[in-house]
Amino acid sequence: GAVVSQHPSWVICKSGTSVKIECRSLDFQATTMFWYRQFPKQSLMLMATSNEGSKATYEQGVEKDKFLINHASLTLSTLTVTSAHPEDSSFYICSARDLQGSQYEQFFGPGTRLTVL
Amino acid sequence: EDQVTQSPEALRLQEGESSSLNCSYTVSGLRGLFWYRQDPGKGPEFLFTLYSAGEEKEKERLKATLTKKESFLHITAPKPEDSATYLCAAGGSQGNLIFGKGTKLSVKP
């Protein structure tokens, strides 16, 4: 149980284009999903908290107009990187909190490797 | 400011050589201490949650313990397949997770 998927697992795009990453909870409902970014040899940095049916909450320093988050249902959240640039290249990981589970346990997806040329 | 620090950054062990990883934290209103395993190019895999000082949890060759200031992940007689980066995260009062930078463990046969 508690499986989270991400799609795509990797993507290469040209500078200036937009990329959408999907995060799905496969066997549970998640009112809250989280988006993290991880640079090489660094830890996970929280970018934003996504709540179903309401606007996402962004961490300080994360541009909300650049990283668009939509939490359309209890099992799906999407992150769109708009007008991507090479410095946006990173490993993006989502996590989800089980509606029925502990308030503090998060289950992570396998990550999406974004490379912007 | 809430902070989680892991040490060492990297640890090389021979197969069968037991050791411990450290996670020290300063978090107001701690809501759990979490351990994850992360393999290269993959998302973190949940291992343990500890909620109160003195609590211990075990899974195969791993045992996690918690005090009021730090947590330890003990690895007994490790095998090469235990090689991974081990992440520690503290649950904050906002329902968020504050991650340490991880300890990269390499176990040589």
Side-chain angles (χ1 to χ4, degrees):
Chain A
V3 178
V4 175
S5 71
Q6 279 184 244
H7 178 81
S9 55
W10 60 269
V11 56
I12 302 173
C13 68
K14 292 182 178 180
S15 186
T17 60
S18 294
V19 174
K20 181 186 283 189
I21 302 170
E22 291 186 352
C23 176
R24 292 180 186 272
S25 56
L26 297 185
D27 52 0
F28 66 98
Q29 292 183 322
T31 51
T32 305
M33 290 184 172
F34 303 85
W35 287 96
Y36 294 84
R37 183 165 50 183
Q38 186 177 35
F39 292 105
K41 297 187 179 182
Q42 297 293 316
S43 190
L44 281 74
M45 296 300 294
L46 180 65
M47 298 175 66
T49 301
S50 165
N51 294 295
E52 187 264 339
S54 63
K55 290 184 179 180
T57 304
Y58 290 81
E59 295 300 300
Q60 194 171 14
V62 178
E63 300 174 57
K64 62 178 71 174
D65 294 331
K66 181 170 182 61
F67 299 99
L68 302 179
I69 291 173
N70 182 20
H71 195 149
S73 74
L74 287 174
T75 59
L76 174 64
S77 176
T78 59
L79 168 69
T80 301
V81 183
T82 62
S83 186
H85 287 94
E87 57 265 31
D88 298 323
S89 299
S90 187
F91 193 49
Y92 291 85
I93 307 174
C94 73
S95 70
R97 184 185 291 158
D98 188 346
L99 186 63
Q100 305 292 333
S102 161
Q103 181 184 0
Y104 302 101
E105 286 188 11
Q106 297 179 24
F107 301 95
F108 286 83
T112 297
R113 173 74 58 191
L114 170 63
T115 302
V116 184
L117 302 177
Chain B
E1 183 185 349
D2 293 341
Q3 198 167 5
V4 174
T5 304
Q6 289 187 249
S7 62
E9 276 188 30
L11 181 61
R12 288 185 165 191
L13 299 174
Q14 286 296 127
E15 184 172 2
E17 181 187 0
S18 301
S19 188
S20 294
L21 282 54
N22 176 266
C23 170
S24 61
Y25 61 90
T26 51
V27 174
S28 56
L30 180 74
R31 301 288 193 269
L33 192 291
F34 300 80
W35 283 97
Y36 292 88
R37 168 187 171 133
Q38 187 177 26
D39 292 300
K42 297 191 177 181
E45 174 191 342
F46 174 76
L47 293 174
F48 303 108
T49 308
L50 302 165
Y51 286 105
S52 54
E55 190 175 358
E56 297 184 353
K57 288 193 176 172
E58 286 188 68
K59 180 181 178 180
E60 296 180 358
R61 295 177 292 282
L62 300 176
K63 183 169 83 171
T65 61
L66 181 66
T67 72
K68 288 186 178 179
K69 292 183 179 180
E70 56 192 349
S71 177
F72 293 93
L73 184 66
H74 307 278
I75 303 177
T76 303
K79 297 182 178 182
E81 53 263 42
D82 295 322
S83 298
T85 295
Y86 290 85
L87 298 172
C88 164
S93 56
Q94 311 279 334
N96 55 325
L97 289 179
I98 302 120
F99 278 89
K101 291 188 176 181
T103 293
K104 184 175 181 179
L105 174 66
S106 300
V107 182
K108 301 297 182 185

